Amino acid sequence: MKYSKLFGRTIKEVPKDAAAVSHKLLYQAGFIRESTAGRYYFLPLGLKTMQKIQAIIKKEMDKAGGQEIVTPVLHPIQLWQETNRTNSVGFELMKIKDRSEMEFVLGGTAEEMLVDLVRKFQVSYKDLPFNLYQFSTKFRDELRARGGLLRVREFLMKDAYSFHATEEDFKKEYEKMKKVYTQIFETLGLKTVIVESDNGYIGGEYCHEFIVESEAGESKFLTAADGYAAHEDMAKFLREERNVKDIEKKMEEVDAVRGNSMEDGARLHKLPLWQQIKDLMMVDEKGNFVLAVIRGDLEVNEVKLAHLAKAYQLRHATEKEIRSLGSEPGFISPIEINKKVKIIGDTSLRTIKNAYTGANKKHRDLLNVNIDRDYKLDIEGDIALAKEGYWSLSKKPLVAKKGIEVGNIFQLGFHYSSKMKGAAFKDQKGKEQPYYMGCYGIGLGRTMAAIVEMHHDKKGIIWPESVAPYDCHLIEIQDSKGKSLAEEVLEKLKENGTEVLYDDREDVSVGEKFADCDLIGIPVRLVISKRNGEKIELKKRNSDKSELLTLNEIESRMPQ
Amino acid sequence: MKYSKLFGRTIKEVPKDAAAVSHKLLYQAGFIRESTAGRYYFLPLGLKTMQKIQAIIKKEMDKAGGQEIVTPVLHPIQLWQETNRTNSVGFELMKIKDRSEMEFVLGGTAEEMLVDLVRKFQVSYKDLPFNLYQFSTKFRDELRARGGLLRVREFLMKDAYSFHATEEDFKKEYEKMKKVYTQIFETLGLKTVIVESDNGYIGGEYCHEFIVESEAGESKFLTAADGYAAHEDMAKFLREERNVKDIEKKMEEVDAVRGNSMEDGARLHKLPLWQQIKDLMMVDEKGNFVLAVIRGDLEVNEVKLAHLAKAYQLRHATEKEIRSLGSEPGFISPIEINKKVKIIGDTSLRTIKNAYTGANKKHRDLLNVNIDRDYKLDIEGDIALAKEGYWSLSKKPLVAKKGIEVGNIFQLGFHYSSKMKGAAFKDQKGKEQPYYMGCYGIGLGRTMAAIVEMHHDKKGIIWPESVAPYDCHLIEIQDSKGKSLAEEVLEKLKENGTEVLYDDREDVSVGEKFADCDLIGIPVRLVISKRNGEKIELKKRNSDKSELLTLNEIESRMPQ
């Protein structure tokens, strides 16, 4: 390809909202352009890289026995209603009607579509397991798009769905996919952490995200030296005992003219924060009240709380709602709270004695409150947010990290097959059984951005060979002799299947050509100049050393 | 690939609405499944074929200097408003709003998007011409989907857009693309007729469809022995002279108690149909009246009429509307018709004298009506429908044909660049000029269906080698010896890069395997059987002959 003919040149300016390095560099180097916020054009260089990423994913998926298919983009809404996903997905779902008023969903993921496809066939236990995948455009009506390709509203995704006779069989595929994903990301030049994640309303223990550690990412996770890695939403930690050996004192109600904060309470009673009980009044999507209670030095993790509450969405109760329950903002207490409130408590409440909290009345607190004796929980469990410095379950300190989620794998279990009619296979006895399912996704655009976040320097991108848009970048330093040698090199390399980007521009300085070459980030730079005679200078993008080589030597260095 | 593991087996039933052979066979052979009417799943076999078609198109487009990009699926509606396409496209356009009430169009074609992309760059005359193309899902809210992949509502399309400094430069690209398309379809095993077509509201002489002659298609076109080939919508023909040498007689109004049809008039006046004037009262999208007048033996072509009327849409006037103009259904006449009616007449009116027509009054006709003397046309031109048997302009009889439109190429001219702000390049003098554009499309699914329509027999599909999902179909006739040889053949062929579909099923008869093999239509069948010892039977799908060959001989026969 001649650079003078390439559509989408380099540019010095950056988009004014560009904060992430990958956003800036992919824009400047001529890989992407924004259409509307979160929706991108891929220019020729960008699409070539995307296609290489896609080919690598396809190769590994096929090797692992995956079979590629493709579903329509418009999913009939009836399918999503069968599984109640029209309610559970929320605002991110985009819907559209056709001229006959038939309603569709713009696919965000395709579980229902796959089940719908599979149930068109007579599936027997002999046909299982299988893993079907597709590359297709997905839509998420995100509240905010950010970071170029890091969080978008429309993107190419590889989504795979596996079908199994049993959970045991699924587990094997799950472990296989873990390896396949690790291999894919390694080939793409990405080191990933496999992080335990929250599986939303489906739940279950099989749910992992593949995260590339990066400050540009928005996935927060915690790791420990024992190998533990879990998403902030569900990371577990040890609740260390506090004054649990103390003798339980008599509960008493006292005056408490104080502000509404936790710190106000601690100051007034001259007691540590951890001895206080934190009370959060929440409301679920059906209007039910949930009171979260937790040790005062910990924070409530609303994802964990929603799971225990079996709620799709939780919001904080208003002051008016709190008063309607006969309580008082800043003075809520699990003791003698309105009976219609469901009390969910964290296990940390078992690590303290003689706690203090509000008395459901303005400026009145309770002292020496003890669990079981003074208040009971409707549900007890883990609703606390893990933080850096807390201990992992095996007593190693947790370390907080940020990263880019490039892939995820998770169980679907019987969630879809039990809800969708006819989503069954015939077992050995000829009886219909729902299949056990798994799901495996990779966002290609975000992966591309993650590669740039990991592989760049001040001058530009440094593409790994596997995904570079071209194998080498040929620059000729203006003179007639150089020109003919450049054409010869170009022809020869093309014959061997080497993909060459040849900067043939005549109105541009050598310095500019070198700068563009570094910005675009093709792994190998070849320079032809009169000074070097018949020899060609080879310099790798990720090295400062250059070598003078003959054309034959150059050929042998190129990827086959 | 082992057939026992392939997702999407053959089936005997056909969908009850399947009329087209390609619909039946692609369904039965396990290539496609319908999601909703006009929206299809591609199963593994179907997707493999689609990808081969895509690769062939890509290769030729790249060779011709095309550069692949991709645009978002959701096009901001503002772009379509800039060019007024939200009005001109009509019902087929699907629109959607995001959570912030921003409105989008689901892309049917991407002219505005491409112009929007290109105008983000400083394009100079030195950068021109270029041709950008994409493969992406397109949406058309068709009134009726039919024929499986022949007319759908969602499909993969290759759409290319070229940008030029001048019309002359565009012409070169246009002729190049004609050759590229011919080559693409030839490689795909399709013989195409290049048919002059109607370019809608853009107009201009550069507009051709690539049509595969087939009764399953819905494109009607006419050809002549002089090489002429034109779509029914715009085919030209010679208006032969009738009684044009006759002396003009005096016009007279007579009683005409008759029915409303053309034949009623001819019967009453005992005159030939061709001597009658046919009057069609139409209404455009703005409510303006258009009267089409034409020789009585010809039919009005509403596409031609709409062009002359400069209307997006025309409909027949109601009886009430006709009477509101002071006329009478069945007795309309161009003579003394209400002045707000625009009269558009066909050139055929010049081939007759002393014509007869209605008198704008019930049961009254006019005789001896002559053009210019008795009535004047606001617009005179070609508004007649060409038919088989009519003469081409070079006096060869026209032959009516039906076919499947698999591709089209057409000028966009300045249509988009003149309407969209900033859609310009800098010329040699540094002055901004709109670019001249061309457009080039191929529908991949319909192309796949056309291949099946052209290449099948009673037993099933006969894929051309270039697009077959696998190179060969290996069948082993059940015995343990056969099994080991089959595995050996499989391994050896795979090593050479030959793609093999191996029917390893154990619970299926040989007859059934043969039938499935013929149905699926892979070009080469290999049969391993004890009877043949170490030799392997090779039979091509498109031949009845079979040969016994050694494994080495088989290898040399396979595509490299």
Side-chain angles (χ1 to χ4, degrees):
Chain A
M1 182 78 210
K2 291 187 174 170
Y3 194 81
S4 67
K5 290 286 148 208
L6 181 73
F7 181 73
R9 303 290 164 66
T10 59
I11 190 170
K12 291 214 166 56
E13 292 75 46
V14 291
K16 53 182 183 308
D17 62 333
V21 173
S22 58
H23 188 181
K24 285 182 204 164
L25 292 178
L26 289 171
Y27 178 91
Q28 290 183 304
F31 283 67
I32 58 170
R33 279 299 176 273
E34 193 178 66
S35 162
T36 53
R39 296 185 178 87
Y40 282 87
Y41 294 100
F42 283 79
L43 303 177
L45 287 178
L47 190 62
K48 275 180 89 78
T49 298
M50 278 290 270
Q51 287 170 340
K52 296 208 171 178
I53 294 172
Q54 185 170 348
I56 287 166
I57 297 172
K58 178 170 174 55
K59 190 179 160 195
E60 295 297 332
M61 286 300 295
D62 286 346
K63 217 171 19 176
Q67 297 187 57
E68 192 181 352
I69 55 139
V70 71
T71 75
V73 171
L74 295 190
H75 302 182
I77 201 162
Q78 290 96 314
L79 296 180
W80 285 58
Q81 284 160 345
E82 276 190 65
T83 62
N84 201 29
R85 274 227 289 174
T86 42
N87 294 321
S88 58
V89 171
F91 284 121
E92 287 164 21
L93 198 66
M94 295 191 84
K95 296 176 204 166
I96 192 166
K97 279 184 185 166
D98 73 2
R99 64 203 287 164
S100 64
E101 293 291 303
M102 186 167 176
E103 203 169 3
F104 296 89
V105 163
L106 289 194
T109 57
E111 288 85 347
E112 290 87 354
M113 290 296 271
L114 266 288
V115 172
D116 179 55
L117 173 60
V118 171
R119 70 179 169 181
K120 292 178 193 295
F121 294 86
Q122 297 274 355
V123 175
S124 103
Y125 69 96
K126 281 189 263 180
D127 303 317
L128 297 174
F130 52 81
N131 188 332
L132 303 177
Y133 73 95
Q134 66 173 341
F135 291 94
S136 72
T137 304
K138 297 295 190 296
F139 302 83
R140 303 260 171 94
D141 199 0
E142 298 277 2
L143 191 58
R144 260 173 222 94
R146 65 165 282 277
L149 300 183
L150 287 172
R151 179 163 293 278
V152 293
R153 296 190 168 110
E154 193 182 317
F155 56 100
L156 188 66
M157 185 182 179
K158 189 283 294 175
D159 44 331
Y161 306 85
S162 68
F163 295 77
H164 307 271
T166 61
E167 184 175 343
E168 286 61 47
D169 192 62
F170 155 75
K171 281 187 204 170
K172 280 185 239 162
E173 184 73 10
Y174 193 79
E175 292 308 319
K176 192 206 270 181
M177 281 296 133
K178 240 188 218 171
K179 291 198 187 93
V180 168
Y181 270 43
T182 305
Q183 179 59 51
I184 286 171
F185 291 119
E186 206 177 294
T187 308
L188 294 172
L190 292 175
K191 193 168 166 284
T192 48
V193 186
I194 304 177
V195 173
E196 289 179 20
S197 305
D198 174 54
N199 201 7
Y201 47 84
I202 292 174
E205 62 189 297
Y206 302 99
C207 182
H208 288 87
E209 289 177 2
F210 285 75
I211 296 185
V212 177
E213 227 186 293
S214 162
E215 276 305 307
E218 49 186 13
S219 287
K220 292 178 182 172
F221 63 103
L222 294 133
T223 59
D226 55 10
Y228 184 68
H231 198 281
E232 183 189 71
D233 282 347
M234 56 93 70
K236 293 184 180 67
F237 67 94
L238 199 74
R239 313 291 191 271
E240 288 172 85
E241 290 187 354
R242 301 289 179 167
N243 63 342
V244 76
K245 303 255 158 69
D246 287 6
I247 288 157
E248 294 190 0
K249 295 186 202 160
K250 186 162 179 278
M251 185 173 80
E252 55 176 323
E253 190 177 315
V254 297
D255 272 336
V257 182
R258 59 165 175 85
N260 284 355
S261 75
M262 298 293 294
E263 290 68 24
D264 290 329
R267 222 174 290 125
L268 178 73
H269 300 293
K270 300 191 173 64
L271 286 169
L273 207 55
W274 57 254
Q275 205 168 343
Q276 197 172 168
I277 297 177
K278 183 185 279 187
D279 310 88
L280 272 187
M281 189 65 78
M282 311 291 288
V283 188
D284 75 9
E285 71 280 0
K286 291 174 190 151
N288 298 318
F289 289 99
V290 170
L291 179 65
V293 284
I294 191 168
R295 206 174 70 193
D297 59 329
L298 299 177
E299 274 179 45
V300 170
N301 176 328
E302 291 185 16
V303 173
K304 291 180 178 178
L305 179 64
H307 280 311
L308 285 183
K310 295 196 164 57
Y312 285 132
Q313 276 182 318
L314 286 173
R315 63 170 176 83
H316 289 257
T318 63
E319 297 204 343
K320 202 174 151 195
E321 284 170 330
I322 292 168
R323 291 200 179 98
S324 79
L325 292 166
S327 185
E328 175 65 30
F331 294 86
I332 304 173
S333 163
I335 294 150
E336 291 182 10
I337 189 74
N338 191 312
K339 291 226 155 32
K340 66 181 176 188
V341 175
K342 187 192 278 180
I343 306 173
I344 303 183
D346 188 66
T347 53
S348 58
L349 296 168
R350 302 251 168 231
T351 64
I352 53 171
K353 290 273 165 161
N354 303 321
Y356 59 106
T357 184
N360 289 322
K361 294 170 210 154
K362 186 155 187 171
H363 293 170
R364 296 285 285 172
D365 276 351
L366 292 172
L367 302 181
N368 302 328
V369 171
N370 286 293
I371 193 165
D372 298 337
R373 186 191 74 175
D374 305 321
Y375 66 99
K376 290 198 162 40
L377 303 175
D378 294 310
I379 300 171
E380 185 173 339
D382 174 11
I383 60 167
L385 187 70
K387 290 190 177 174
E388 180 154 88
Y390 292 3
W391 278 10
S392 76
L393 298 187
S394 64
K395 293 206 175 176
K396 305 285 178 204
L398 291 173
V399 182
K401 290 185 173 166
K402 273 180 80 181
I404 304 164
E405 181 203 339
V406 286
N408 62 350
I409 59 175
F410 50 102
Q411 70 185 75
L412 300 173
F414 298 116
H415 185 83
Y416 291 89
S417 54
S418 66
K419 288 189 168 61
M420 292 179 75
K421 216 179 145 182
F425 69 98
K426 280 220 167 79
D427 70 11
Q428 268 134 313
K429 291 171 187 158
K431 211 184 137 198
E432 297 227 315
Q433 304 278 8
Y435 19 73
Y436 194 100
M437 293 173 60
C439 186
Y440 318 89
I442 296 178
L444 275 77
R446 192 186 281 173
T447 296
M448 180 164 152
I451 295 170
V452 178
E453 293 290 342
M454 292 300 100
H455 301 278
H456 69 268
D457 60 15
K458 277 184 191 164
K459 294 174 184 169
I461 307 171
I462 308 170
W463 291 110
E465 274 183 21
S466 60
V467 296
Y470 289 90
D471 299 319
C472 70
H473 195 131
L474 178 64
I475 292 174
E476 173 241 325
I477 295 180
Q478 284 296 303
D479 54 38
S480 56
K481 176 122 192 305
K483 189 119 200 158
S484 67
L485 180 56
E487 295 283 353
E488 190 190 334
V489 171
L490 191 64
E491 277 316 303
K492 200 86 183 183
L493 291 176
K494 265 165 78 177
E495 270 170 38
N496 291 350
T498 303
E499 294 182 293
V500 186
L501 182 63
Y502 168 34
D503 194 342
D504 63 328
R505 290 176 295 174
E506 296 188 347
D507 51 356
V508 159
S509 73
V510 176
E512 221 171 309
K513 285 185 180 185
F514 279 15
D516 281 345
C517 176
D518 284 340
L519 177 57
I520 295 170
I522 291 167
V524 170
R525 185 182 80 187
L526 300 178
V527 177
I528 285 164
S529 137
K530 206 172 182 175
R531 203 180 55 180
N532 298 329
E534 293 295 317
K535 293 228 175 176
I536 301 149
E537 185 196 277
L538 180 148
K539 182 188 144 323
K540 291 201 168 180
R541 178 65 182 86
N542 61 4
S543 154
D544 285 331
K545 276 183 285 183
S546 64
E547 301 173 76
L548 281 180
L549 302 168
T550 64
L551 179 49
N552 281 341
E553 287 167 331
I554 295 281
E555 278 181 74
S556 67
R557 296 287 193 93
M558 290 297 149
Q560 296 306 307
Chain B
M1 183 78 209
K2 290 189 176 170
Y3 194 82
S4 67
K5 289 285 146 209
L6 181 72
F7 180 73
R9 303 291 164 67
T10 60
I11 190 168
K12 289 213 168 56
E13 291 77 46
V14 291
K16 53 181 182 308
D17 63 332
V21 173
S22 59
H23 189 181
K24 285 182 204 165
L25 291 178
L26 288 170
Y27 178 91
Q28 290 182 302
F31 283 67
I32 59 171
R33 279 298 177 274
E34 193 179 69
S35 163
T36 53
R39 297 186 177 86
Y40 282 87
Y41 294 101
F42 283 80
L43 304 178
L45 287 179
L47 190 62
K48 273 180 91 77
T49 297
M50 278 290 270
Q51 287 170 339
K52 295 208 170 177
I53 294 172
Q54 185 170 349
I56 288 167
I57 297 172
K58 179 170 173 55
K59 190 179 161 197
E60 295 296 332
M61 286 300 297
D62 287 347
K63 214 166 33 171
Q67 298 188 57
E68 193 180 352
I69 56 138
V70 71
T71 75
V73 171
L74 296 189
H75 303 181
I77 201 162
Q78 290 98 315
L79 296 181
W80 286 58
Q81 284 160 345
E82 277 191 64
T83 62
N84 201 29
R85 274 227 289 173
T86 41
N87 294 321
S88 59
V89 171
F91 283 120
E92 287 164 22
L93 198 67
M94 296 191 83
K95 297 175 203 166
I96 192 167
K97 280 184 183 166
D98 74 1
R99 65 203 285 164
S100 64
E101 292 292 302
M102 185 165 178
E103 201 168 3
F104 296 89
V105 164
L106 289 194
T109 56
E111 286 85 347
E112 290 87 354
M113 291 296 273
L114 266 288
V115 172
D116 180 55
L117 173 60
V118 171
R119 70 181 170 181
K120 292 178 192 294
F121 294 87
Q122 297 272 356
V123 175
S124 102
Y125 69 96
K126 281 190 264 180
D127 302 317
L128 296 176
F130 51 81
N131 187 332
L132 304 177
Y133 73 95
Q134 66 174 341
F135 291 93
S136 73
T137 304
K138 296 296 189 298
F139 301 83
R140 302 260 171 94
D141 199 359
E142 299 277 1
L143 190 59
R144 258 171 224 96
R146 62 166 284 278
L149 300 183
L150 287 172
R151 179 164 294 278
V152 294
R153 296 189 167 111
E154 193 180 318
F155 57 100
L156 188 66
M157 186 181 179
K158 187 283 294 174
D159 45 331
Y161 306 85
S162 67
F163 295 76
H164 308 271
T166 61
E167 184 175 342
E168 287 60 48
D169 191 62
F170 155 74
K171 279 188 207 171
K172 280 185 238 161
E173 184 72 9
Y174 193 77
E175 292 308 320
K176 192 206 270 181
M177 280 294 134
K178 240 188 220 171
K179 292 201 188 90
V180 167
Y181 270 43
T182 305
Q183 179 60 52
I184 287 171
F185 291 120
E186 207 177 292
T187 308
L188 294 172
L190 292 176
K191 193 169 166 285
T192 48
V193 185
I194 304 177
V195 174
E196 289 179 18
S197 305
D198 173 56
N199 201 6
Y201 48 85
I202 292 173
E205 61 190 300
Y206 301 100
C207 182
H208 288 88
E209 289 179 0
F210 285 73
I211 297 186
V212 177
E213 228 186 292
S214 162
E215 277 305 307
E218 48 187 13
S219 288
K220 291 176 182 173
F221 63 103
L222 294 134
T223 60
D226 55 11
Y228 185 66
H231 199 280
E232 185 189 68
D233 282 348
M234 57 93 68
K236 292 185 181 69
F237 66 96
L238 200 73
R239 313 290 193 273
E240 289 170 84
E241 290 186 356
R242 301 289 179 166
N243 63 343
V244 77
K245 304 255 157 70
D246 287 6
I247 288 158
E248 293 188 0
K249 294 186 203 160
K250 185 163 181 276
M251 185 174 79
E252 56 177 323
E253 188 177 317
V254 296
D255 271 339
V257 182
R258 59 164 174 84
N260 283 355
S261 75
M262 298 295 292
E263 289 70 22
D264 292 328
R267 221 176 289 126
L268 178 73
H269 300 296
K270 297 191 176 64
L271 286 168
L273 208 56
W274 57 255
Q275 206 168 341
Q276 196 174 167
I277 297 176
K278 185 185 277 185
D279 309 88
L280 273 187
M281 189 66 78
M282 310 291 290
V283 188
D284 76 8
E285 72 280 0
K286 290 174 189 151
N288 299 317
F289 289 99
V290 171
L291 179 65
V293 283
I294 190 169
R295 208 173 70 194
D297 60 327
L298 300 176
E299 275 178 45
V300 170
N301 177 325
E302 291 184 17
V303 172
K304 290 180 178 177
L305 179 65
H307 281 311
L308 285 184
K310 294 198 161 65
Y312 285 132
Q313 274 182 319
L314 286 174
R315 62 169 175 84
H316 288 257
T318 63
E319 298 204 342
K320 202 175 152 192
E321 285 170 329
I322 292 169
R323 292 200 180 97
S324 79
L325 293 165
S327 186
E328 175 66 30
F331 294 84
I332 305 173
S333 162
I335 295 152
E336 290 182 9
I337 189 74
N338 191 312
K339 291 224 156 35
K340 66 181 177 188
V341 175
K342 187 191 277 180
I343 305 174
I344 303 184
D346 188 66
T347 53
S348 58
L349 295 168
R350 302 246 168 235
T351 64
I352 52 170
K353 289 273 158 143
N354 303 319
Y356 60 104
T357 184
N360 289 323
K361 293 168 209 155
K362 186 157 187 170
H363 293 168
R364 297 287 284 172
D365 276 353
L366 292 172
L367 303 181
N368 301 326
V369 171
N370 286 293
I371 192 165
D372 297 338
R373 186 192 74 176
D374 304 320
Y375 67 98
K376 291 199 163 40
L377 302 175
D378 294 311
I379 300 171
E380 186 174 338
D382 175 10
I383 61 167
L385 188 70
K387 289 189 177 175
E388 179 154 88
Y390 291 4
W391 278 11
S392 76
L393 297 187
S394 64
K395 294 207 176 176
K396 305 285 178 205
L398 292 173
V399 181
K401 290 184 172 166
K402 274 180 79 181
I404 304 163
E405 181 203 338
V406 287
N408 61 351
I409 60 176
F410 50 101
Q411 70 184 74
L412 299 174
F414 297 116
H415 185 83
Y416 291 90
S417 54
S418 67
K419 287 187 167 63
M420 294 181 72
K421 216 179 144 182
F425 69 97
K426 280 221 168 78
D427 69 11
Q428 268 133 313
K429 292 170 187 157
K431 208 184 138 200
E432 296 228 317
Q433 304 278 8
Y435 19 73
Y436 194 100
M437 292 174 61
C439 187
Y440 319 88
I442 297 178
L444 277 75
R446 192 186 281 172
T447 296
M448 180 165 153
I451 296 170
V452 178
E453 293 290 342
M454 292 299 100
H455 300 278
H456 70 268
D457 61 15
K458 276 183 191 165
K459 295 175 185 169
I461 307 170
I462 307 171
W463 290 110
E465 276 183 20
S466 60
V467 295
Y470 289 90
D471 299 319
C472 71
H473 194 131
L474 178 64
I475 292 175
E476 173 242 325
I477 294 180
Q478 285 293 304
D479 55 37
S480 56
K481 179 128 192 300
K483 190 117 198 159
S484 66
L485 181 55
E487 296 282 355
E488 191 189 332
V489 171
L490 192 65
E491 278 316 303
K492 200 85 183 185
L493 291 176
K494 268 166 77 177
E495 269 171 36
N496 291 349
T498 303
E499 294 181 294
V500 187
L501 183 62
Y502 169 34
D503 193 341
D504 63 327
R505 288 177 296 176
E506 294 189 349
D507 50 356
V508 159
S509 73
V510 176
E512 224 171 308
K513 285 185 180 183
F514 279 16
D516 280 346
C517 176
D518 285 340
L519 178 57
I520 294 169
I522 291 165
V524 170
R525 186 182 79 188
L526 299 178
V527 177
I528 285 163
S529 137
K530 205 172 184 176
R531 204 179 55 177
N532 299 328
E534 292 296 317
K535 294 226 173 175
I536 301 150
E537 185 196 275
L538 179 148
K539 183 187 140 332
K540 291 201 168 178
R541 178 65 182 87
N542 61 4
S543 153
D544 285 330
K545 278 184 283 183
S546 64
E547 301 172 77
L548 281 180
L549 301 168
T550 64
L551 179 49
N552 281 342
E553 288 166 331
I554 295 280
E555 277 181 76
S556 68
R557 297 285 193 93
M558 290 296 148
Q560 294 306 311

